[in-house]
């Protein structure tokens, strides 16, 4: 095995605004390659680290991200796992929270940092936020405790000045540098003059356990957002989609939904067929509590599972991940009720 006394980081460049340049003719942002990115970031050479890179060819806008590319990221990380202290993934901001959530489930027993970052302005622009995001992410990916273990052995998003747990994070701003938020879990670190780690909030890992990479996904899932006036025939058509296996139901407030018999019957019929329905709230902050109001109780009776305070990104990727492994609906329901990578908190009763 290659041993180095320098901290070592593998930089994986998938694409996104951070590595884009303005097309002089159309004005549209287009991806450029990693060499051009490095030319715009001479600061990378000032690190006393061994920094290697892997680039997606061609780089992609993250709107084109999909499970096959998550599998490619997992493959790159697992092949290089023993040779680097940490991993930084440069990624478009639009679907970064989905990728971070998916990777948190795919990298079982992870004991090294995997930090996703990007920027709102391309790295070649004078006011870019990309340089600071990238430099701090590299530092976090290499950070070690006195005993040699990683300070942040989990999949995170670093943006602006916050390190957030990846599967708790959502993109909330298309304009500001402060583009991500973790509403229901505190930040893991804040970068100011120093990087201040919140040690008690960071997941504990056991480096003796071998990394188990997972690659399988089943995308027969849908997110259904309720709204006053939603029509029976629309919902019926969705639930009768022949290959449908799971639905993320975005309900109101603390997990409430209409009490109309046709609605509850459709849900009951679907769960009886083995379709898994997970209830998450349209509110960003707080948790689903189906026993709180009568409107929520009906959902419990219909066999709906609580997503507690999960993000939609984490629930949909976890469902695709579990379905991809061919588990029975019973096992998936059980696994959805237990956090596997710190993705939700079960409230104390
Ligand atoms: N459309 C870009 C992407 O997600 C936006 C960004 O990188 O901020 O790839």
């Amino acid at each position: 095995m290659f041993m180095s006394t320098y901290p070592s980081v593998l930089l994986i460049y998938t694409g996104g605004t951070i590595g884009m340049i303005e097309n002089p003719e159309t004005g549209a942002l287009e991806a450029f390659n990693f060499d051009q990115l490095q030319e715009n970031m001479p600061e990378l050479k000032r690190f006393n680290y061994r920094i290697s890179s892997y680039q997606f060819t061609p780089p992609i806008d993250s709107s084109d991200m999909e499970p096959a590319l998550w599998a490619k990221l997992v493959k790159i990380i697992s092949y290089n796992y023993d040779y680097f202290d940490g991993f930084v993934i440069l990624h478009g901001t639009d679907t970064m929270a989905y990728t971070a959530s998916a990777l948190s489930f795919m990298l079982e027993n992870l004991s090294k940092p995997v930090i996703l970052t990007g920027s709102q302005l391309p790295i070649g622009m004078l006011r870019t936020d990309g340089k600071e995001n990238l430099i701090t992410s590299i530092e976090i990916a290499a950070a070690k405790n006195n005993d040699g273990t990683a300070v942040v052995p989990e999949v995170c998003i670093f943006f602006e000045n916050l390190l957030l747990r990846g599967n708790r994070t959502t993109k909330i701003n298309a304009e500001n540098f402060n583009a991500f938020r973790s509403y229901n879990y505190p930040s893991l670190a804040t970068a100011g003059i120093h990087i201040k780690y919140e040690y008690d909030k960071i997941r504990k890992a056991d480096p003796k356990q071998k990394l188990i990479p997972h690659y399988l996904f089943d995308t027969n899932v849908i997110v259904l957002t309720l709204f006053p006036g939603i029509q029976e025939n629309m919902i019926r058509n969705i639930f009768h989609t022949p290959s449908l296996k799971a639905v993320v139901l975005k309900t109101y407030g603390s997990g409430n939904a209409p009490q109309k018999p046709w609605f509850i019957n459709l849900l009951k019929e679907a769960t009886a067929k083995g379709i898994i329905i997970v209830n998450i709230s349209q509110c960003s902050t707080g948790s689903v509590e189906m026993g709180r109001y009568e409107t929520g109780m009906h959902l419990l009776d219909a066999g709906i599972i609580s997503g507690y305070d999960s993000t939609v990104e984490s629930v949909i990727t976890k469902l695709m991940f579990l379905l991809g492994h061919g588990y029975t609906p019973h096992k998936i329901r059980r696994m959805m009720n237990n956090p596997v990578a710190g993705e939700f908190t079960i409230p104390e009763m």
Side-chain angles (χ1 to χ4, degrees), residues 1-6 8 50 82-85 112 144:
M1 193 204 301
F2 179 87
M3 295 301 264
S4 159
T5 47
Y6 296 110
S8 53
R50 178 169 61 87
D82 292 335
Y83 307 114
F84 292 91
D85 295 320
K112 295 188 176 184
K144 291 209 180 153

Side-chain angles (χ1 to χ4, degrees), residues 15-18 20 60-63 91-95 119-120 171:
T17 298
I18 192 161
M20 287 188 176
I60 58 154
D61 186 290
S62 78
S63 307
H91 194 290
T93 57
D94 291 345
T95 64
S119 68
Q120 295 282 61
K171 182 174 180 183

Side-chain angles (χ1 to χ4, degrees), residues 247-261:
V247 178
V248 180
L249 190 66
K250 292 192 76 180
T251 58
Y252 308 122
S254 55
N256 306 312
Q259 306 182 64
K260 296 183 185 90

Side-chain angles (χ1 to χ4, degrees), residues 157-172:
I157 289 182
F158 179 78
F159 219 84
E160 180 72 346
N161 58 346
L162 292 180
L163 183 72
L164 306 170
R165 175 168 292 163
N167 57 30
R168 292 291 196 141
T169 303
T170 301
K171 182 174 180 183
I172 50 119

